[in-house]
Amino acid sequence: MDIFTCGVVPVVVLHDAQNAVKVANALLKGGINTMEITFRTAVAKEAIQKVAQEVPEIIVGAGTVINVEQMQAAKVANAKFVVSPGIDEELLKEAKRLELPIIPGVVSPSEIILGLKYDIKVFKFFPAEAYGGLKTLKALCGPFPQIRFLPTGGISQSNAEEYFQNQKIAAVGGSWMVSTDMIAQGQYDLITEKSKDVVELFKRTRAQQCLEGK
Ligand code: 3PG
């Protein structure tokens, strides 16, 4: 089991750490085994810590990690991986030192070459839709057949299928199944329902590809 097994890595923004475990359980009930808690709010470290302790079935990671201090906080909180919207040599070095798997964000060949120096195998492609979506991704795959992508930004239930059809996509990232509004309104059943929908779509799409021998 890894963070790509379900086809989706939820990008979670929490304003209250008390909601972290409820969100984690709602995702889990929907068949998702991972979540990325973003450092966009001050409660990220505490929220990661709670999920790591109380919901061990979820592989919890830290998202929107943009400096070394956040990465160190993520490690202390027991995050199992970190995601950054960009790629930065200092972050790559620190991730290696802390033995923390990192998914850095890229949109260009030069950035991918930097990541390869640090043995990165899966790159976040962000912001995916704004940077040309699948068309750009396919073009980037040409010179780099050894890597896979986690496209994020502008992906939802309505366009996830086309991404799933591409074998270079490890999983998609996104917040549509766990929006801040849903969390604020305590709509945990809705989070579970939307999680189920995307996991089902992923499984169906990949099964179809197997049948077609792709
Ligand atoms: C991210 O940081 O990965 C994105 O903000 C998530 O994008 P989305 O909200 O468009 O899904």
Side-chain angles (χ1 to χ4, degrees):
M1 279 281 252
D2 62 35
I3 67 163
F4 307 120
T5 311
C6 307
V8 64
V9 178
V11 176
V12 183
V13 180
L14 287 165
H15 292 282
D16 182 349
Q18 299 307 324
N19 294 331
V21 166
K22 286 180 268 184
V23 170
N25 281 320
L27 293 168
L28 202 57
K29 217 170 144 189
I32 294 180
N33 72 334
T34 189
M35 70 194 285
E36 173 192 326
I37 297 179
T38 67
F39 265 83
R40 278 173 227 186
T41 65
V43 304
K45 183 181 175 190
E46 189 189 346
I48 292 168
Q49 210 149 21
K50 280 186 189 300
V51 174
Q53 257 166 24
E54 295 177 39
V55 197
E57 303 92 328
I58 284 265
I59 307 170
V60 62
T64 322
V65 170
I66 57 170
N67 59 49
V68 164
E69 290 71 31
Q70 290 171 338
M71 193 179 292
Q72 290 166 348
K75 178 75 180 180
V76 171
N78 217 357
K80 304 296 182 293
F81 65 97
V82 297
V83 183
S84 177
I87 187 159
D88 169 72
E89 200 140 19
E90 205 187 345
L91 285 182
L92 294 171
K93 280 188 183 143
E94 187 65 1
K96 213 169 197 133
R97 192 182 73 81
L98 296 172
E99 295 180 7
L100 204 46
I102 180 167
I103 306 174
V106 295
V107 291
S108 75
S110 304
E111 293 168 320
I112 294 171
I113 290 171
L114 172 59
L116 290 178
K117 283 191 199 164
Y118 288 84
D119 216 20
I120 303 299
K121 305 270 192 300
V122 180
F123 291 83
K124 171 168 168 144
F125 175 53
F126 175 78
E129 283 291 294
Y131 267 85
L134 206 51
K135 191 173 174 213
T136 303
L137 246 170
K138 281 182 185 163
L140 284 172
C141 286
F144 305 108
Q146 69 275 49
I147 63 168
R148 292 189 301 157
F149 289 96
L150 174 72
T152 309
I155 300 178
S156 66
Q157 186 70 19
S158 60
N159 61 358
E161 185 171 354
E162 57 174 7
Y163 284 94
F164 292 152
Q165 281 165 351
N166 190 306
Q167 295 297 325
K168 292 292 176 186
I169 308 292
V172 300
S175 61
W176 81 91
M177 79 303 292
V178 56
S179 69
T180 43
D181 279 355
M182 291 181 207
I183 299 171
Q185 289 163 24
Q187 294 174 308
Y188 296 106
D189 288 346
L190 188 58
I191 294 172
T192 296
E193 191 186 311
K194 289 192 178 283
S195 300
K196 275 185 186 156
D197 287 346
V198 62
V199 173
E200 165 63 25
L201 180 66
F202 176 70
K203 288 188 176 152
R204 197 172 353 110
T205 310
R206 290 285 158 108
Q208 184 61 33
Q209 301 231 291
C210 273
L211 284 174
E212 291 168 6
K214 285 184 184 161

